[in-house]
Amino acid sequence: MMQQSTPMHARPEYANETLQESQYGSAPQRNMGYPERLISKVGGVFLGAYGLTRGSLGGLLVAGVGGLLYHRGSTGICPVYSALDIDRSEPSPGPEIIRISDTVTINRSREDLYQFWRNFENLPLFMRHLAEVRQTDESHSHWRLRLASGLGSVEWDAELTEDRPGEQLSWRSLPGAELHNTGTVTFREAPVGRGTEVGLIIVYHPPGGRLGITAAKLANPLFAQMAREDIRRFKSLMEVGEIPTIEGQPTGS
Amino acid sequence: MKALCWYGKEDVRIEKIADPKILNPHDAIVKITLTAICGSDLHLYDGYIPTMRKGDVLGHEFMGEVVEIGPEVKKLAKGDRVVVPFPISCGHCFFCNQEEYSLCDNSNPNAAVAEKMYGYSGAALFGYSHMLGGYAGGQAEYARVPFADIGPIKVPDELSDEQVLFLSDILPTGYQAAANCAIRGGDTVAVWGCGPVGLFAMQSARLLGAERVIAIDCVPERLELARATRQVETINFAEESVLEGLRELSGGRGPDACIDAVGMEAHGFGPLGWYDKAKQTVRLQTDRPTVLREAIQACRKGGTVSIPGVYGGLIDKFNFGAAFGKGLTFKMGQTHVQKYLPDLLERIARGEIAPNDIISHRLSLDQGPEAYRMFREKADGCIKVVMKP
Ligand SMILES: NC(=O)c1ccc[n+]([C@@H]2O[C@H](COP(=O)([O-])OP(=O)(O)OC[C@H]3O[C@@H](n4cnc5c(N)ncnc54)[C@H](O)[C@@H]3O)[C@@H](O)[C@H]2O)c1
Ligand SMILES: [Zn+2]
Ligand SMILES: [Zn+2]
């Protein structure tokens, strides 16, 4: 019914990659400092990010993820948010989780969408902060998340836990991952030829005890926004074979 | 290249900037041969549209020659002469599929911002704020045109630039405004605003079968032009009561349809006019709904209020009860330009419409800043300015 180029052939030079590199390129790694202090700082970054409305937000968010994951980076504590440090000696309170979900209707068949997602190596084409996903075998993959500049990247292994062709895919990180996360994407036929309703659920377990949870909860709206942006990009890629952008256009000084 | 850039309220400048490049596979680059200033640009000029950034290239009414195409462009080739619709539309989403091009799902890279304000984002537009995509506009020497197979329409050599340029916006906008009125033979249609959009709405209302068209404005030469070229009766709102005038001219029943071709910067009168101006100035209200208020009051029971005039946000003292009590139908929004192009191009080619009849000023792009000022003031009999880069 629809005639369009398949996103599989999307050319990397048109996929915004240049900009992402420059924005989130890696930098020398530093030694780990005091994890709790860093998490506190991360919380501060998140709070600061609420005041922003565009552009740098994604970068800040990923900087935050970096802090949560790696407890790496500078040693100073943002004085404004040092209050967050109060509970720093607490042990991890257990299985608290953060859950993000979103839904979008895409004008393609369930099968097409499933197929594209099933090849996890496609995910970085629309998940802005994913640098790479390598399929290591039928059900295992290796993920690399690009962090804000100065924080390098984070990697983990994941396995497919559910594979219902044309309906659902679920995956989870393997033991040893620094940020435990699980994901599910569902594909449901929309009413009478209106495409496919795609649902995305991401659940993650923040590290770093209560502080990690506090920081992650603060970050949650930003994570939710990031998931929405990614799923929107997925839609554009699948409906038209490209993701809209103005990055690189000329403007007056 | 040279481009007309926005720097703030009443501050637009000609700047030397880089040429646009192909950024996505369905892009084309158009070398602009003619461009125009729209009433919508005045909302930017007057600082009423949020999320503009210094240096943004203005302009959404333009045409020219295709000089470069992306690898996935199939229907256009270098050398084609095209008019570019102001909404950027992907052609494949739910909305594009039902010809609601200005509601496209896939063209706005900043959809998140518009979603926060409106729930969902419409299509991106050229040169019309970052909330609506942030795409560089066409008051420039070149423009990058995304989804080049969907928007631009090729125009035959026999038709001059001036004859076809307004297919980019105001002609289809006036046409859609009238089409939205579901006009039946014998209908009376009232049109607020004798600017380009209003003038084309009047003409379209006639084409679509309206019996009587009534034009409302306060600028004498605009009212005169409407009378002379659009077979309308007129009401000068500076001299007489619009509501009384409309009642009288519509046999006491009220117009079957009311078209607001003025939008958020309507001139108001009396205490309510001052109230609106004051609130809008301090942004307690983003829009001055003078015309909208009048239209819902004037419209006959069961009639239609069609709103091509642009609104951006909140309005005050809006008599929703009148709309409800009279069972009115509201139709509005940015124009689905692409939908109307083949038909309107046909009508131009047949000589049924001569859209160039509204051009009052022919300037060079370099005169852009002066042109904005003049068009805003409606000075020197200014109806519509076209500019050559
Ligand atoms: N919906 C769309 O897609 C679309 C496209 C183009 C333009 N527009 C909008 O249409 C509107 C008109 O555009 P234009 O290019 O004709 O602008 P314009 O500024 O040339 O014309 C507006 C006219 O309205 C008159 N006016 C002001 N207050 C009035 C009042 N209270 N009653 C009656 N008339 C009044 C002005 O004197 C002026 O002649 C603008 O809001 C513009 O943004 C919408
Ligand atoms: Zn316009
Ligand atoms: Zn679309």
Side-chain angles (χ1 to χ4, degrees), chain B residues 306-319:
Chain B
S306 164
I307 312 166
V310 166
Y311 289 87
L314 307 179
I315 57 180
D316 252 12
K317 299 209 185 300
F318 186 75
N319 192 346

Side-chain angles (χ1 to χ4, degrees), chain A residues 1-5 9 11 13-15 53-55 105 107 194 225 228-229 232 235-237 239-253, chain B residues 5 7 15 17-26 53 55 57 71-72 90 92-94 97 105-107 109 111-112 115-116 130 133-136 144 147:
Chain A
M1 180 187 76
M2 251 187 317
Q3 219 258 304
Q4 57 197 197
S5 61
H9 302 146
R11 293 157 191 239
E13 66 261 38
Y14 294 113
T53 51
R54 56 159 225 263
T105 301
N107 209 358
R194 292 187 180 196
Q225 189 60 42
R228 167 160 295 184
E229 289 305 319
R232 197 200 311 282
K235 172 182 161 77
S236 292
L237 195 56
E239 290 190 338
V240 287
E242 67 179 51
I243 293 166
T245 186
I246 57 165
E247 284 159 7
Q249 78 175 7
T251 72
S253 50
Chain B
C5 301
Y7 283 88
E15 292 282 297
I17 65 172
D19 289 349
K21 297 187 305 255
I22 301 273
L23 299 176
N24 259 336
H26 298 92
R53 294 190 205 155
V57 181
E72 298 288 340
C90 80
H92 294 292
C93 69
F94 173 77
N97 279 352
D105 260 346
N106 289 316
S107 59
E115 270 179 11
K116 290 213 172 67
H130 286 263
Y135 288 90
R144 165 188 166 236
F147 306 119

Side-chain angles (χ1 to χ4, degrees), chain B residues 105-325:
Chain B
D105 260 346
N106 289 316
S107 59
N108 186 356
N110 299 327
V113 183
E115 270 179 11
K116 290 213 172 67
M117 285 179 75
Y118 296 159
Y120 296 92
S121 170
L125 313 180
F126 286 101
Y128 217 73
S129 86
H130 286 263
M131 178 178 125
L132 296 178
Y135 288 90
Q139 287 162 7
E141 287 180 294
Y142 295 90
R144 165 188 166 236
V145 177
F147 306 119
D149 280 338
I150 307 304
I153 183 167
K154 283 189 244 184
V155 287
D157 288 340
E158 307 85 79
L159 298 176
S160 69
D161 280 8
E162 290 189 0
Q163 281 177 289
V164 291
L165 173 64
F166 301 143
L167 287 169
S168 57
D169 177 351
I170 47 173
L171 175 58
T173 294
Y175 188 85
Q176 175 174 292
N180 276 343
C181 296
I183 293 168
R184 294 178 303 179
D187 275 0
T188 297
V189 178
V191 181
W192 278 255
C194 296
V197 171
L199 289 166
F200 286 133
M202 296 164 203
Q203 185 169 26
S204 305
R206 279 241 170 264
L207 283 172
L208 295 172
E211 180 72 27
R212 267 189 302 212
V213 178
I214 303 159
I216 304 151
D217 206 309
C218 68
V219 181
E221 59 275 16
R222 290 185 167 215
L223 288 165
E224 181 48 46
L225 182 73
R227 260 194 309 274
T229 64
R230 301 302 196 257
Q231 305 162 275
V232 297
E233 291 159 273
T234 55
I235 295 176
N236 183 336
F237 70 80
E239 290 168 0
E240 55 178 309
S241 152
V242 173
L243 291 179
E244 279 166 32
L246 284 177
R247 192 183 173 88
E248 198 180 306
L249 290 172
S250 63
R253 179 186 281 155
D256 301 281
C258 292
I259 297 177
D260 170 358
V262 180
M264 64 194 293
E265 291 187 67
H267 302 304
F269 275 98
L272 206 52
W274 285 110
Y275 171 88
D276 284 332
K277 181 83 189 165
K279 278 205 125 177
Q280 191 181 37
T281 305
V282 295
R283 299 298 189 274
L284 279 172
Q285 138 175 292
T286 51
D287 303 346
R288 297 199 301 260
T290 318
V291 168
L292 208 48
R293 289 194 194 114
E294 251 171 26
I296 56 172
Q297 206 69 29
C299 197
R300 77 149 161 85
K301 292 181 281 182
T304 298
V305 176
S306 164
I307 312 166
V310 166
Y311 289 87
L314 307 179
I315 57 180
D316 252 12
K317 299 209 185 300
F318 186 75
N319 192 346
F320 205 74
F324 182 88

